[in-house]
Amino acid sequence: MLNQKYYADSIFKIRRKKWVDEPGEAAWAWEKDMLEHDKTLRVYACNPFAGVFRFRENLYGLYCENADGLGNVWMFLIEGPKRGLLIDTGYGVGDTKALVDELLGGKPCIVANTHCGIDHTLGNCRFDEVHCFPGEAAKLRTHNEHIWDYLFDEDGEAIWMDITREDLPRWKPYRIVECEDGHVFDLGEGYEVEMLWVPGHAEGHANFLDRQNRILFTGDNITSNYGANGMVDRPNPKPVYGGKHCNYKSYREGLAKIMERYDKFDRIFPQHHQVDFDKSILKGCVKAVDEILENPENYDGEYSFINKENHLESYKLKNIEGFIGKYAYNI
Ligand SMILES: [Fe+2]
């Protein structure tokens, strides 16, 4: 039995010490059930920090504890006939590269990021090359050997998760490949994954369309907790999750691009919390975003928490018809 959103009894080596902001009960209930009962869950000796779920014959979800007190995060690994595609790299806790190599049986692996959020990219340096959209590349280039320092207090103790510096990568520079909207990754023998620019949560936020598995990976734009996609219709001033297109107006244009491909996929996999939703949830997403743009003052609730910089973060919330998650925004 898992212990109240802490995983002290779980079979893999994750030891959360405290939360900055706990996920909602509904989002957590699904994660708890998966961790306790999913028969595909495996832990590999080369990286005991990741819980490996097998969602399809050739699709692995690598479930990782969030190292700085927020929601746990997925990396997704698609095994194509000739090569793999790893979507996001987590915090880099544990040897992600060795795990990917073992799962792919030594096939080469392309690495790509949904966006530059630290929970999605600090493991990049375990690889030689990473793909992203231009809006994220400059932010990735600011990473250096100190990117994990904030996880530890002045006595060298990890603050949110029971890890040591040895569990983290030794930072090294890696090649950042800036992709164009619609870039196609060729995994061999006609297996293609399309990378789509869907800004909002971040300036260069990417979605990935696995045409063979008919799955759309939606990153952090949509989650079963809160999808936070910035301001309503103006640039977001935040340093990492900010930029000209970090708003619901730009996100709506990204959603339109996704809806043009509606007959190309069946299921939705977000990068946090519950996965494998029916694509019909997108109809509620479009409706909710249109309502936010039309009348942002007509929100369904408000939400705030003290962030890790000790500042109060506050959002308006919009319900999404037919879906468990909500949209969070600032006016
Ligand atoms: Fe995230």
Side-chain angles (χ1 to χ4, degrees), residues 25-181:
E25 289 302 324
W28 169 250
W30 180 86
E31 286 184 51
K32 181 175 181 294
D33 189 53
M34 280 285 287
L35 290 163
E36 289 182 346
H37 303 299
D38 190 281
K39 292 186 171 52
T40 72
L41 173 58
R42 283 192 61 188
V43 178
Y44 291 74
C46 62
N47 184 355
F49 292 94
V52 179
F53 293 85
R54 195 164 193 173
F55 290 118
R56 300 288 187 274
E57 183 67 27
N58 69 329
L59 171 62
Y60 301 95
L62 280 51
Y63 177 92
C64 296
E65 183 91 351
N66 187 305
D68 71 4
L70 295 174
N72 301 315
V73 63
W74 290 105
M75 301 178 252
F76 294 111
L77 177 65
I78 304 166
E79 181 180 359
K82 292 270 178 8
R83 56 194 73 84
L85 173 65
L86 178 68
I87 302 172
D88 287 343
T89 62
Y91 281 86
V93 180
D95 195 340
T96 316
K97 173 76 166 61
L99 179 58
V100 166
D101 286 345
E102 185 164 345
L103 291 170
L104 292 178
K107 281 181 194 169
C109 188
I110 302 163
V111 181
N113 292 150
T114 57
H115 65 294
C116 186
I118 41 184
D119 46 336
H120 302 261
T121 59
L122 294 197
N124 282 358
C125 64
R126 290 195 184 274
F127 300 88
D128 295 329
E129 184 177 274
V130 174
H131 297 73
C132 66
F133 281 134
E136 303 304 282
K139 297 175 216 167
L140 282 184
R141 289 193 184 98
T142 67
H143 288 184
N144 56 43
E145 68 270 28
H146 296 295
I147 46 179
W148 298 278
D149 288 357
Y150 78 103
L151 298 175
F152 298 88
D153 65 19
E154 54 273 17
D155 299 320
E157 287 285 317
I159 299 168
W160 297 280
M161 183 181 174
D162 192 8
I163 52 171
T164 68
R165 291 270 181 177
E166 283 66 48
D167 299 319
L168 297 168
R170 186 177 296 250
W171 195 85
K172 69 168 176 60
Y174 54 90
R175 201 163 98 84
I176 297 167
V177 181
E178 297 184 35
C179 300
E180 289 185 5
D181 188 17

Side-chain angles (χ1 to χ4, degrees), residues 260-278:
E260 283 167 16
R261 290 161 174 77
Y262 196 71
D263 63 342
K264 300 278 192 289
F265 61 91
D266 300 315
R267 310 295 292 178
I268 303 283
F269 277 62
Q271 223 70 14
H272 290 278
H273 310 300
Q274 189 166 355
V275 299
D276 211 350
F277 293 101
D278 188 83

